[in-house]
Amino acid sequence: MSSRRAGLEAADERYRVLFELTGVAMALLDENTTIVLVNRAFEHLLGYSRLKVEGRMSWTETVPDAGDLERMTSYHRLR
């Protein structure tokens, strides 16, 4: 394995650990609103297991207020 590849793999692992262990609920989303990846804090805050969420749910299903959903959908389109 090249040292460049080893460096990329080490950096990838550091980011995964940071993502997973931060105390802030986080999710990675794709352009069509599907939740791609969540961390433990997300699971705990919303009460959904990652098996139920990742690749199966839209983030729009996690927003209970219609006014908030409209605003957040607008932000999603702008990003």
Side-chain angles (χ1 to χ4, degrees), residues 25-54:
M26 295 194 306
L28 296 177
L29 315 169
D30 70 9
E31 59 277 348
N32 71 0
T33 76
T34 301
I35 299 171
V36 177
L37 184 68
V38 299
N39 65 0
R40 290 180 197 166
F42 180 97
E43 288 181 292
H44 180 72
L45 178 68
L46 292 174
Y48 297 117
S49 75
R50 69 182 61 209
L51 293 175
K52 180 178 178 179
V53 173
E54 292 179 346

Side-chain angles (χ1 to χ4, degrees), residues 1-27:
M1 178 183 333
S2 73
S3 65
R4 178 183 160 106
R5 183 174 177 156
L8 288 173
E9 288 179 3
D12 182 59
E13 180 61 22
R14 282 192 302 271
Y15 284 112
R16 287 181 187 278
V17 168
L18 287 170
F19 177 82
E20 190 58 43
L21 298 180
T22 184
V24 176
M26 295 194 306

